[in-house]
């Protein structure tokens, strides 16, 4: 296993001892300020939400679980590093395992809930499950660590702070306030760009926050009032309904600075014998990411870009999903993405950032 996030180890093991594989050594170097060989790349030729970047390419929220992972990613020319989603309080991880190899017949149809066999050899995986439950340390712990990650971004690189709100039983006002607090904590930690995760199955996969336009509009407005000029990106799931997507964009585009799409595509995961693949209540259905969601992700980027033209709106589009190599980066850019990110593909190929850095852009 050469992955920098090792899915054969627990989340805690990864957090405490990672990154692994070829990133292990560089991460140690990076702490002393000498990490990586990405030091002389000339002047950054692109911008991402007002920040100069060498390449508008990086790793989305998830695999970079703390500063050590972010440092290694930046040292490996992933010029946009998203610190894994944090919360306003400590939150436990779903039981191990979290990432299983998922076998598909081809691209997933995001409008259908497929039943897929999970648990094959991870070394041969192209698509995986992602079932963590969005764990978080307390802000006392993650704030200094996020600050360390922010400081690791060199010239032409940027660190994005991802966060999400937690329902604490205090009703909608408390939920809005929790988002504002999470965003403010990230800004206090120095995050120059924010991403709000609206696509985590908080209350079941059918009720993702991004499908509640009214509530998201209220939350995004409150967050923007609190964080001022710090750019805010909304992380979306795939929208089945075009009218719902258009209504969502019309309401939120005047408030926010960009959209990242997509998060994982849900599927029912079973063992070869047909049993539930991931242990525990509420885990029959889990998010699938990697190669199988590429076409769904590119299609969603294309719809965002088309609406941006039709509405003469201005916002950044971050293409996420199924980016396994340079061809997939090109597909996202051709669909209208201003920046592209890879989670599963980067985990499998930790040198993907350097290969993108060595290629021209658009790829
Ligand atoms: C290990 C792992 C953990 C993830 N955790 C998060 C998360 O905390 N927040 C989030 O918004 N997305 C999370 N994601 C989703 C990714 O950001 C991305 O949207 C998804 O994996 C699709 O991209 P991919 O096909 O390149 O993997 C995670 C993905 C992976 C693989």
């Amino acid at each position: 296993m050469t992955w920098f996030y090792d899915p054969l180890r627990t989340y805690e093991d990864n957090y405490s001892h990672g990154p692994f594989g070829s990133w292990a050594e560089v991460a140690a170097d990076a702490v002393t300020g000498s990490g990586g060989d990405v030091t002389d790349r000339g002047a950054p030729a692109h911008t991402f939400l007002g920040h100069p970047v060498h390449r508008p390419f990086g790793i989305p929220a998830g695999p970079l679980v703390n500063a050590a992972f972010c440092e290694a990613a930046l040292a490996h020319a992933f010029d946009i590093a998203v610190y894994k989603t944090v919360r306003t309080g400590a939150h436990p991880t779903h039981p191990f395992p979290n990432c299983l190899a998922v076998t598909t017949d081809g691209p997933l149809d995001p409008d259908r809930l497929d039943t897929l066999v999970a648990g094959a050899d991870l070394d041969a995986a192209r698509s995986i499950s992602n079932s963590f439950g969005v764990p978080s340390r307390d802000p006392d712990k993650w704030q200094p660590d996020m600050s360390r990650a922010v400081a690791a971004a060199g010239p032409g690189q940027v660190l994005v702070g991802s966060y999400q709100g937690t329902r604490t039983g205090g009703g909608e006002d408390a939920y809005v306030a929790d988002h504002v607090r999470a965003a403010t904590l990230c800004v206090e930690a120095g995050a120059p760009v924010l991403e709000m995760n609206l696509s985590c199955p908080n209350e079941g996969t059918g009720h993702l926050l991004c499908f509640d336009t009214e509530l998201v509009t209220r939350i995004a407005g409150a967050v923007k009032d609190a964080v001022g000029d710090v750019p805010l990106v909304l992380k979306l799931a795939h929208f089945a309904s075009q009218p719902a997507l258009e209504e969502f964009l019309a309401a939120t585009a005047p408030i926010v600075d960009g959209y990242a799409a997509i998060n994982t595509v849900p599927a029912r995961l079973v063992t070869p014998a047909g049993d539930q693949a991931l242990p525990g209540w509420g885990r029959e259905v889990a998010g699938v990411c990697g190669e199988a969601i590429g076409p769904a992700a590119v299609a969603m980027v294309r719809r965002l870009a088309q609406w941006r033209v039709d509405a003469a709106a201005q916002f950044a589009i971050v293409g996420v999903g199924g980016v396994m190599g340079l061809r997939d980066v090109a597909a996202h850019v051709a669909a209208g993405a201003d920046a592209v990110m890879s989670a599963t593909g980067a985990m499998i190929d930790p040198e993907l950032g350097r290969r993108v850095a060595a290629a021209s852009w658009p790829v």
Side-chain angles (χ1 to χ4, degrees):
M1 176 65 51
T2 56
W3 302 15
F4 63 82
Y5 181 97
D6 185 349
L8 299 175
R9 300 171 188 251
T10 64
Y11 174 81
E12 284 305 323
D13 192 358
N14 272 278
Y15 191 100
S16 302
H17 302 294
F20 295 102
S22 61
W23 281 18
E25 220 168 286
V26 176
D29 285 347
V31 176
T32 61
S34 61
D37 59 3
V38 187
T39 46
D40 186 15
R41 299 172 64 194
H46 305 275
T47 57
F48 174 64
L49 291 165
H51 293 272
V53 288
H54 290 295
R55 289 283 181 273
F57 182 71
I59 298 184
L64 307 179
V65 298
N66 60 27
F69 284 76
C70 293
E71 285 165 344
L74 292 159
H76 280 81
F78 289 96
D79 292 326
I80 310 172
V82 185
Y83 192 102
K84 184 169 167 60
T85 307
V86 293
R87 299 177 184 257
T88 55
H91 199 82
T93 319
H94 281 340
F96 181 83
N98 309 97
C99 296
L100 294 176
V102 173
T103 309
T104 66
D105 280 343
L108 289 186
D109 177 351
D111 299 334
R112 207 178 56 199
L113 188 67
D114 279 330
T115 298
L116 302 171
V117 173
D121 180 11
L122 270 162
D123 278 319
R126 304 291 289 170
S127 300
I128 61 173
S129 70
N130 155 21
S131 173
F132 289 88
V134 192
S136 180
R137 264 38 185 186
D138 259 322
D140 285 0
K141 295 276 185 320
W142 66 250
Q143 273 194 305
D145 190 64
M146 186 182 280
S147 298
R148 180 180 139 192
V150 171
Q157 299 190 317
V158 66
L159 191 286
V160 178
S162 166
Y163 67 90
Q164 77 177 47
T166 305
R167 284 197 186 273
T168 51
E172 194 172 293
D173 287 352
Y175 192 41
V176 174
D178 190 74
H179 280 87
V180 172
R181 179 157 163 69
T184 307
L185 290 167
C186 288
V187 172
E188 277 175 21
V193 176
L194 297 172
E195 184 176 280
M196 185 155 78
N197 184 12
L198 307 176
S199 37
C200 168
N202 278 319
E203 305 124 85
T205 43
H207 299 92
L208 301 182
L209 181 53
C210 63
F211 299 140
D212 187 339
T213 294
E214 210 179 305
L215 184 51
V216 173
T217 307
R218 197 181 152 203
I219 292 170
V223 167
K224 268 311 251 185
D225 283 347
V227 303
D229 290 340
V230 181
L232 175 65
V233 174
L234 303 184
K235 175 83 176 278
L236 307 181
H238 173 271
F239 276 63
S241 156
Q242 182 65 14
L245 177 62
E246 292 180 7
E247 186 198 1
F248 179 88
L249 294 174
T252 57
I255 303 169
V256 304
D257 303 277
Y259 300 94
I262 57 176
N263 212 312
T264 51
V265 171
R268 198 176 302 284
L269 301 184
V270 295
T271 65
D275 300 324
Q276 181 177 325
L278 289 161
W281 184 86
R283 293 178 90 201
E284 303 86 356
V285 172
V288 174
C289 45
E291 190 170 74
I293 73 163
V298 169
M300 182 73 179
V301 166
R302 197 172 295 117
R303 289 161 68 194
L304 291 171
Q306 186 61 54
W307 189 88
R308 183 169 59 178
V309 171
D310 294 345
Q314 286 198 333
F315 53 76
I317 300 173
V318 183
V320 189
V323 175
M324 314 302 285
L326 298 188
R327 250 190 6 200
D328 308 311
V329 177
H332 273 276
V333 172
D338 304 289
V340 179
M341 298 193 186
S342 171
T344 307
M347 286 163 73
I348 293 172
D349 175 11
E351 294 301 319
L352 183 56
R354 285 184 172 150
R355 291 198 288 115
V356 171
S360 57
W361 188 282
V363 175

